[in-house]
Amino acid sequence: MNTPILVCVAWPYANADIHQGNVTGSYLPADIFARYHRLKGNDVLMVSGSDSHGTPVTVKAEEMGKSVDEVFNYYHGRFLRLFQQLGLGYDLFTHTHTENHARVSQDMFLALLNNGYLYKKITPQMYSPTAGKFLPDRYIEGTCPNCGYDSAYGDQCERCGTSLSPDELINPVSTISSKTPVKKSTQHWYLPLNRHENWLREWILQEHKNDWRPTVTGQCKSWIEGGLQPRAVTRDLDWGIKVPVAGADGKVLYVWFDAPIGYISATKQWALDNNKDWKPYWYEKDTRLVHFIGKDNIVFHCIIFPVMLKLHGNIVPDNVPANEFLNLEGDKMSTSRNWKLEMQDYIN
């Protein structure tokens, strides 16, 4: 047997040390899976890296009074040392702040745009008059409409894991000023997920209804049957990968657009470093693409990224074995809420 198996592991935000929930949820299961298939003689490539562009990294930098580069480099180095201590068998663990990753991400954006798969639209977005800037999702907090948690972020509730948008929050406030944001018009590029509902329904709910975990297909079914909406793939930010078109000054690719593309850029970087061909891992139908993530990232790896891959002519995931959260005293471990048991402490 020599089946190509691409193991893509969740990218940790480079804003805090890795906790036990991260390891049990994604990194250790991926390593066990990769070791098993290597023993069977399959062609295994396991890649991931530090997510350098997420707003949690910029928030941490502001808290520490340091530059974003200093913060992500500090934690990226700690991630590498931790994984070496744990003996995890990554073929490459990189990060998203590389020239290679920026180029690959921008190339995919342009390919989707030039083929008519993205469109631009002016919409009202949350804006802070006090700070004089548009607010990234993580700079907005409010009450989760799903579970009632009163410190949910504009992109996700840390308590129940529901993926959100700032408009869905109840009583949203700016984390910068603690004041209610205002709406201001701005232009962004959108991926019309609603055009792909039929394919997603057939691919996930029919083709994979028996081999994917019920928690994964169940969450996908809820999203699809609730009606998918166009998703903005750009943001008004200074930190991140610049949108590579004229008239896009001050705009970057949304972190959940560029981070999954990191699986591709990491594969290309590994191939470059080892004089290999990267394309079979992303274009050959026999390749098994498997994502190891936590359940809070299901929507990105099962709906948004697969649509991007399909439109770009790549293979789509063979499986996404998302794991449940590891709880601490009945509550999920969370870096942002500092509710965790750090893995380095365990090793020490």
Side-chain angles (χ1 to χ4, degrees):
M1 294 182 67
N2 193 27
T3 303
I5 299 178
L6 180 58
V7 182
C8 294
V9 194
W11 296 66
Y13 283 129
N15 71 324
D17 285 328
I18 286 170
H19 59 70
Q20 290 184 10
N22 302 135
V23 175
T24 60
S26 305
Y27 314 140
L28 185 58
D31 189 70
I32 294 169
F33 179 83
R35 286 173 184 269
Y36 169 77
H37 281 285
R38 286 178 183 132
L39 287 171
K40 289 189 69 175
N42 288 324
D43 174 19
V44 178
L45 178 64
M46 187 167 92
V47 297
S48 185
S50 298
D51 189 340
S52 313
H53 295 142
T55 48
V57 186
T58 62
V59 170
K60 186 67 174 183
E62 291 173 1
E63 290 176 358
M64 298 177 66
K66 296 181 179 293
S67 71
V68 185
D69 285 275
E70 288 177 307
V71 170
F72 99 73
N73 275 307
Y74 172 77
Y75 284 110
H76 177 66
R78 291 179 68 84
F79 295 166
L80 287 171
R81 288 192 293 275
L82 176 67
F83 293 151
Q84 288 170 350
Q85 289 175 304
L86 289 171
L88 300 186
Y90 286 104
D91 291 286
L92 179 65
F93 186 85
T94 179
H95 59 77
T96 57
H97 200 58
T98 68
E99 291 184 10
N100 168 59
H101 176 66
R103 183 170 57 253
V104 174
S105 299
Q106 290 175 331
D107 285 349
M108 179 175 275
F109 175 87
L110 289 173
L112 297 180
L113 181 65
N114 293 336
N115 281 297
Y117 299 136
L118 302 177
Y119 69 92
K120 59 183 178 181
K121 181 174 67 171
I122 295 175
T123 58
Q125 301 288 330
M126 297 288 190
Y127 183 84
S128 170
T130 304
K133 64 181 182 181
F134 287 96
L135 295 172
D137 300 342
R138 284 272 169 149
Y139 284 74
I140 305 169
E141 286 188 358
T143 300
C144 174
N146 183 56
C147 72
Y149 179 53
D150 61 6
S151 295
Y153 293 117
D155 61 345
Q156 191 171 64
C157 175
E158 283 285 302
R159 176 67 57 79
C160 68
T162 299
S163 181
L164 300 167
S165 69
D167 287 331
E168 294 176 285
L169 291 177
I170 300 169
N171 300 322
V173 296
S174 164
T175 60
I176 300 174
S177 64
S178 298
K179 296 181 180 179
T180 303
V182 299
K183 292 289 189 71
K184 185 176 179 179
S185 294
T186 184
Q187 178 178 277
H188 284 296
W189 283 261
Y190 285 77
L191 176 65
L193 295 174
N194 50 301
R195 297 179 187 173
H196 308 284
E197 283 186 8
N198 290 337
W199 172 73
L200 287 167
R201 185 177 289 107
E202 179 181 345
W203 174 59
I204 298 172
L205 305 182
Q206 295 182 29
E207 289 183 29
H208 291 293
K209 66 179 180 180
N210 295 321
D211 58 324
W212 283 20
R213 293 180 174 177
T215 52
V216 175
T217 55
Q219 192 176 128
C220 292
K221 181 178 180 181
S222 177
W223 270 79
I224 295 169
E225 293 189 346
L228 297 177
Q229 301 298 318
R231 188 95 178 197
V233 299
T234 58
R235 289 291 189 274
D236 291 290
L237 287 170
D238 297 324
W239 176 251
I241 297 173
K242 304 300 181 185
V243 176
V245 297
D249 294 341
K251 299 183 188 295
V252 301
L253 300 179
Y254 178 39
V255 65
W256 274 111
F257 181 85
D258 98 73
I261 296 173
Y263 300 126
I264 302 176
S265 65
T267 305
K268 293 186 76 170
Q269 187 63 57
W270 168 83
L272 182 64
D273 294 343
N274 293 276
N275 195 30
K276 302 282 188 179
D277 183 7
W278 69 275
K279 290 186 177 179
Y281 292 100
W282 286 100
Y283 289 97
E284 293 291 341
K285 292 182 179 180
D286 290 340
T287 299
R288 290 186 61 195
L289 168 59
V290 184
H291 288 298
F292 283 86
I293 59 169
K295 72 174 184 180
D296 51 338
N297 293 334
I298 289 174
V299 65
F300 303 107
H301 290 79
C302 295
I303 292 181
I304 299 174
F305 189 46
V307 167
M308 293 163 54
L309 291 173
K310 182 175 182 292
L311 294 175
H312 195 246
N314 301 115
I315 62 169
V316 293
D318 179 71
N319 208 332
V320 185
N323 278 315
E324 298 290 333
F325 299 133
L326 178 66
N327 289 343
L328 175 62
E329 296 183 8
D331 197 3
K332 74 172 285 261
M333 289 194 187
S334 168
T335 295
S336 61
R337 292 189 290 116
N338 200 32
W339 186 252
K340 57 184 177 176
L341 296 173
E342 291 183 1
M343 203 65 205
Q344 190 65 58
D345 291 340
Y346 170 81
I347 290 175
N348 294 341

